[in-house]
Amino acid sequence: MQKSNFGSIRKLPSGRWQCSYYQDGDRHSRTFPTRSDATVWLAAIQTSIADGTWIDPGRSKITVSALAERWVNAGSTKRQSTKDRQESILRLHILPVLGKMAIGRVTPAQIQSLVDTWTTNAKPSTVGRQYNVLRAIFEYAVRSDMLLKTPCRGVWLPAVALVTRPQIDTEALGRLAISLGPNYAPMMWLGVVGGLRWAEAAGLQVRCLDLLRGVITIKTQLNRQGVLDKPKTPASIRNIAIPDWLCNDLAALLAKRGITASDDEALVFTSPKGGVLDYSRWRQRIWVPACEKADISGLRFHDLRSWAATALIVAGVDVKTAQVRLGHADPHTTLAIYARASVEADQAAAKMVGDMFNPLRREMQ
């Protein structure tokens, strides 16, 4: 047996060479076909311990399935709807292929192969969502000192085409409001004027309305199970000022239903039968028919947030105020994702630039 200042190497009866060393009170060993291979590996282990990059090899032996379970349950702030979505992706698309493998055995090539399989029968956006879950699992393993580096590196993903949404203007919104009627037009206007998400509007309670001051408070939302839940992020909890005419519409809606300020836990918007709104039913029975009638088929309620962001930017509202009104944690989201160039803003820009470089104007000077 050869001993050094770190670890030991010995020849086994089989002719292979075994390295062993102690770290954190545990003995670790590995065999190699040649003595030189064993010596190189042991030196590499010694270096990794010295520079702080050593990972306990026992930790990388847990299966992808076990790692996924730890990851899903990590973080007390994770919403149940998020966990349900993650578990569904794991169960249907990831664990059937990788679940029984040790995480230390998964290679970038295997990750790419799995992604390629998804690409043959799923949209690029769906592939992206599934890969994000897979990548997050292995990033969690790295953060937890189970792996030195993630196998989710250098992976090619299909390009996601930018979805073209219907162009809407104030006239189109007016037609949609008429189609929705007095029960749901105020809900649409809250999406346009206040930038509310559907779940925030559907979970709005009477106690969150201060119509005398023209302010609404977003502190709950309605989840897909029909239960009031906390908002999407801490930044989503906010106070929003709304115009007088929208306050009047909301007051008229509540008066029509016989709701007063004392009914503070009552929902502002309900189903036609007075129950809690269900997104899928509301979309199919209320929203889609109203959009088709208003000649703006394909419009999503969430698209109203893009309109709200664009209107704020065009109106010259500062980015911070726009960010707060929309409930974004990052102003980059407000500008890069939601705010879109409007036709009116583009025409105004063309006029300003055109006036600046007008040849006739230059000749007159």
Side-chain angles (χ1 to χ4, degrees):
M1 177 183 294
Q2 174 187 341
K3 292 187 177 181
S4 65
N5 293 331
F6 176 79
S8 62
I9 300 175
R10 68 178 180 130
K11 190 173 184 178
L12 300 174
S14 64
R16 292 176 65 83
W17 294 82
Q18 183 186 60
C19 293
S20 63
Y21 66 96
Y22 283 89
Q23 179 65 16
D24 293 341
D26 295 320
R27 180 178 179 271
H28 304 280
S29 64
R30 184 172 173 180
T31 62
F32 295 89
T34 67
R35 180 175 178 174
S36 61
D37 289 340
T39 302
V40 170
W41 180 79
L42 193 61
I45 292 295
Q46 185 177 15
T47 300
S48 67
I49 293 174
D51 62 22
T53 60
W54 179 81
I55 297 292
D56 185 343
R59 295 185 179 183
S60 64
K61 292 180 181 179
I62 73 167
T63 64
V64 174
S65 179
L67 174 66
E69 183 177 359
R70 293 189 189 184
W71 172 75
V72 168
N73 294 315
S76 59
T77 60
K78 189 178 291 185
R79 294 185 299 163
Q80 186 59 46
S81 59
T82 299
K83 293 176 66 173
D84 291 343
R85 182 169 60 252
Q86 292 169 346
E87 289 175 341
S88 176
I89 291 175
L90 286 166
R91 184 179 66 256
L92 297 175
H93 306 290
I94 296 175
L95 298 185
V97 179
L98 302 177
K100 295 181 179 181
M101 292 186 64
I103 63 174
R105 295 287 185 179
V106 181
T107 66
Q110 290 169 319
I111 298 294
Q112 183 66 71
S113 177
L114 180 56
V115 170
D116 291 343
T117 301
W118 294 339
T119 304
T120 61
N121 53 27
K123 296 179 180 180
S125 58
T126 301
V127 173
R129 283 193 295 272
Q130 293 170 185
Y131 177 72
N132 285 340
V133 170
L134 183 59
R135 180 178 58 188
I137 291 172
F138 284 104
E139 287 176 348
Y140 172 75
V142 173
R143 293 195 306 272
S144 302
D145 290 337
M146 299 178 190
L147 291 175
L148 181 60
K149 55 185 177 180
T150 172
C152 294
R153 57 184 192 274
V155 176
W156 177 88
L157 295 174
V160 179
L162 181 64
V163 178
T164 302
R165 293 296 176 186
Q167 287 287 338
I168 54 175
D169 52 24
T170 52
E171 182 179 344
L173 289 172
R175 296 196 305 269
L176 180 56
I178 294 173
S179 299
L180 287 168
N183 289 341
Y184 299 113
M187 189 175 183
M188 180 211 75
W189 288 123
L190 284 174
V192 175
V193 175
L196 270 66
R197 302 172 176 91
W198 185 89
E200 293 171 344
L204 195 64
Q205 295 177 291
V206 171
R207 63 178 175 176
C208 298
L209 304 181
D210 187 344
L211 300 183
L212 294 178
R213 292 176 54 234
V215 175
I216 63 173
T217 300
I218 308 301
K219 54 185 177 182
T220 58
Q221 67 174 18
L222 192 70
N223 62 28
R224 294 301 174 91
Q225 289 73 43
V227 178
L228 288 177
D229 201 353
K230 56 187 176 183
K232 184 176 181 180
T233 65
S236 300
I237 301 174
R238 61 203 190 275
N239 295 321
I240 301 174
I242 59 175
D244 292 341
W245 59 265
L246 184 50
C247 289
N248 294 335
D249 288 351
L250 289 168
L253 171 61
L254 296 178
K256 177 182 176 182
R257 291 172 48 204
I259 300 294
T260 66
S262 62
D263 303 307
D264 58 345
E265 294 189 358
L267 291 171
V268 176
F269 302 105
T270 61
S271 69
K273 294 183 179 181
V276 176
L277 288 176
D278 175 86
Y279 174 76
S280 296
R281 293 179 181 176
W282 184 86
R283 180 180 178 277
Q284 290 298 325
R285 300 177 183 180
I286 304 296
W287 181 258
V288 171
C291 288
E292 292 175 348
K293 187 176 180 180
D295 197 26
I296 45 176
S297 299
L299 182 70
R300 305 174 307 169
F301 189 92
H302 202 75
D303 292 332
L304 301 179
R305 281 172 60 79
S306 293
W307 175 269
T310 301
L312 290 169
I313 301 304
V314 170
V317 175
D318 64 274
V319 176
K320 183 62 179 178
T321 299
Q323 172 196 347
V324 172
R325 285 185 67 84
L326 292 167
H328 288 151
D330 187 344
H332 172 78
T333 305
T334 307
L335 291 175
I337 299 179
Y338 284 92
R340 301 182 180 183
S342 67
V343 175
E344 292 83 355
D346 183 56
Q347 292 173 342
K351 184 178 186 307
M352 287 188 291
V353 175
D355 289 345
M356 183 181 299
F357 296 105
N358 187 338
L360 295 178
R361 182 178 179 182
R362 291 203 307 271
E363 290 176 2
M364 294 174 61
Q365 293 178 345

